[in-house]
Short mmCIF file of all heavy atoms in Angstrom, two decimals:
data_model
loop_
_atom_site.label_atom_id
_atom_site.label_comp_id
_atom_site.label_asym_id
_atom_site.label_seq_id
_atom_site.Cartn_x
_atom_site.Cartn_y
_atom_site.Cartn_z
N ASP A 198 129.35 151.23 119.64
CA ASP A 198 127.96 151.07 120.03
C ASP A 198 127.80 151.15 121.55
O ASP A 198 126.90 151.78 122.10
CB ASP A 198 127.43 149.76 119.53
CG ASP A 198 125.92 149.56 119.82
OD1 ASP A 198 125.16 150.49 119.60
OD2 ASP A 198 125.57 148.47 120.23
N VAL A 199 128.71 150.46 122.25
CA VAL A 199 128.65 150.49 123.75
C VAL A 199 128.92 151.90 124.24
O VAL A 199 128.25 152.33 125.21
CB VAL A 199 129.66 149.44 124.34
CG1 VAL A 199 129.77 149.58 125.82
CG2 VAL A 199 129.25 148.01 123.97
N VAL A 200 129.91 152.60 123.69
CA VAL A 200 130.22 153.88 124.14
C VAL A 200 129.16 154.95 123.90
O VAL A 200 128.85 155.75 124.77
CB VAL A 200 131.59 154.34 123.51
CG1 VAL A 200 131.85 155.83 123.86
CG2 VAL A 200 132.73 153.47 123.89
N ASN A 201 128.55 154.83 122.81
CA ASN A 201 127.54 155.80 122.41
C ASN A 201 126.15 155.55 122.88
O ASN A 201 125.30 156.45 122.99
CB ASN A 201 127.51 156.00 120.86
CG ASN A 201 128.85 156.53 120.31
OD1 ASN A 201 129.52 157.27 121.03
ND2 ASN A 201 129.21 156.14 119.11
N SER A 202 125.84 154.28 123.18
CA SER A 202 124.49 153.88 123.63
C SER A 202 124.27 154.28 125.09
O SER A 202 125.21 154.42 125.88
CB SER A 202 124.23 152.41 123.44
OG SER A 202 124.28 152.03 122.11
N PHE A 203 123.00 154.44 125.42
CA PHE A 203 122.69 154.76 126.85
C PHE A 203 122.30 153.47 127.52
O PHE A 203 121.50 152.68 127.00
CB PHE A 203 121.47 155.73 126.91
CG PHE A 203 121.21 156.18 128.28
CD1 PHE A 203 121.96 157.23 128.86
CD2 PHE A 203 120.21 155.62 129.04
CE1 PHE A 203 121.68 157.67 130.13
CE2 PHE A 203 119.95 156.04 130.28
CZ PHE A 203 120.70 157.05 130.84
N HIS A 204 122.85 153.16 128.65
CA HIS A 204 122.68 151.94 129.39
C HIS A 204 121.64 152.05 130.49
O HIS A 204 121.67 152.97 131.30
CB HIS A 204 124.01 151.44 129.99
CG HIS A 204 125.00 151.02 128.94
ND1 HIS A 204 125.26 149.71 128.59
CD2 HIS A 204 125.79 151.81 128.09
CE1 HIS A 204 126.12 149.73 127.59
NE2 HIS A 204 126.50 150.94 127.28
N ILE A 205 120.71 151.11 130.45
CA ILE A 205 119.62 151.03 131.44
C ILE A 205 119.91 149.90 132.40
O ILE A 205 120.15 148.74 131.91
CB ILE A 205 118.29 150.85 130.76
CG1 ILE A 205 117.99 151.98 129.80
CG2 ILE A 205 117.16 150.68 131.78
CD1 ILE A 205 117.71 153.27 130.48
N LYS A 206 119.90 150.11 133.65
CA LYS A 206 120.25 149.04 134.62
C LYS A 206 119.40 149.17 135.88
O LYS A 206 119.34 150.27 136.48
CB LYS A 206 121.72 149.03 135.00
CG LYS A 206 122.16 147.80 135.78
CD LYS A 206 123.64 147.80 135.98
CE LYS A 206 124.14 146.58 136.73
NZ LYS A 206 125.61 146.55 136.87
N GLN A 207 118.71 148.11 136.20
CA GLN A 207 117.88 148.10 137.45
C GLN A 207 118.74 147.93 138.67
O GLN A 207 119.64 147.11 138.76
CB GLN A 207 116.89 146.96 137.36
CG GLN A 207 116.01 146.80 138.61
CD GLN A 207 115.15 145.60 138.52
OE1 GLN A 207 114.78 145.10 137.47
NE2 GLN A 207 114.73 145.06 139.68
N LYS A 208 118.51 148.80 139.67
CA LYS A 208 119.22 148.74 140.97
C LYS A 208 118.20 148.83 142.09
O LYS A 208 117.48 149.77 142.24
CB LYS A 208 120.22 149.85 141.04
CG LYS A 208 121.39 149.76 140.11
CD LYS A 208 122.39 150.93 140.30
CE LYS A 208 123.58 150.80 139.39
NZ LYS A 208 124.54 151.90 139.59
N GLU A 209 118.18 147.73 142.88
CA GLU A 209 117.36 147.67 144.10
C GLU A 209 115.87 148.10 143.86
O GLU A 209 115.36 148.99 144.48
CB GLU A 209 117.98 148.55 145.16
CG GLU A 209 119.36 148.02 145.64
CD GLU A 209 119.92 148.89 146.74
OE1 GLU A 209 119.27 149.91 147.13
OE2 GLU A 209 121.04 148.61 147.19
N GLY A 210 115.28 147.50 142.90
CA GLY A 210 113.86 147.67 142.70
C GLY A 210 113.44 148.90 141.94
O GLY A 210 112.25 149.35 141.85
N SER A 211 114.40 149.63 141.31
CA SER A 211 114.01 150.78 140.51
C SER A 211 115.08 151.02 139.38
O SER A 211 116.21 150.51 139.44
CB SER A 211 113.94 152.05 141.37
OG SER A 211 115.20 152.43 141.82
N ILE A 212 114.69 151.79 138.41
CA ILE A 212 115.54 152.13 137.31
C ILE A 212 115.51 153.64 137.14
O ILE A 212 114.45 154.28 137.03
CB ILE A 212 115.06 151.51 135.93
CG1 ILE A 212 114.97 149.97 136.08
CG2 ILE A 212 116.01 151.90 134.83
CD1 ILE A 212 114.32 149.34 134.88
N ALA A 213 116.67 154.28 137.18
CA ALA A 213 116.74 155.75 137.09
C ALA A 213 117.44 156.08 135.76
O ALA A 213 118.42 155.44 135.40
CB ALA A 213 117.53 156.33 138.24
N PHE A 214 116.91 157.12 135.08
CA PHE A 214 117.47 157.49 133.80
C PHE A 214 117.13 158.94 133.47
O PHE A 214 116.01 159.36 133.80
CB PHE A 214 116.99 156.54 132.70
CG PHE A 214 115.53 156.35 132.61
CD1 PHE A 214 114.71 157.24 131.93
CD2 PHE A 214 114.92 155.33 133.32
CE1 PHE A 214 113.32 157.10 131.88
CE2 PHE A 214 113.54 155.14 133.34
CZ PHE A 214 112.71 156.05 132.59
N PRO A 215 118.00 159.70 132.81
CA PRO A 215 117.64 161.06 132.36
C PRO A 215 116.94 161.00 131.03
O PRO A 215 117.16 160.08 130.25
CB PRO A 215 119.02 161.73 132.26
CG PRO A 215 119.98 160.60 131.93
CD PRO A 215 119.43 159.36 132.64
N VAL A 216 116.07 161.96 130.75
CA VAL A 216 115.39 161.97 129.42
C VAL A 216 115.58 163.27 128.69
O VAL A 216 115.12 163.46 127.57
CB VAL A 216 113.88 161.76 129.64
CG1 VAL A 216 113.60 160.33 130.13
CG2 VAL A 216 113.26 162.73 130.59
#
Side-chain angles (χ1 to χ4, degrees):
D198 183 45
V199 172
V200 173
N201 295 329
S202 296
F203 187 81
H204 291 260
I205 301 291
K206 189 173 184 180
Q207 178 184 335
K208 291 183 179 179
E209 297 182 358
S211 68
I212 304 172
F214 50 88
V216 292

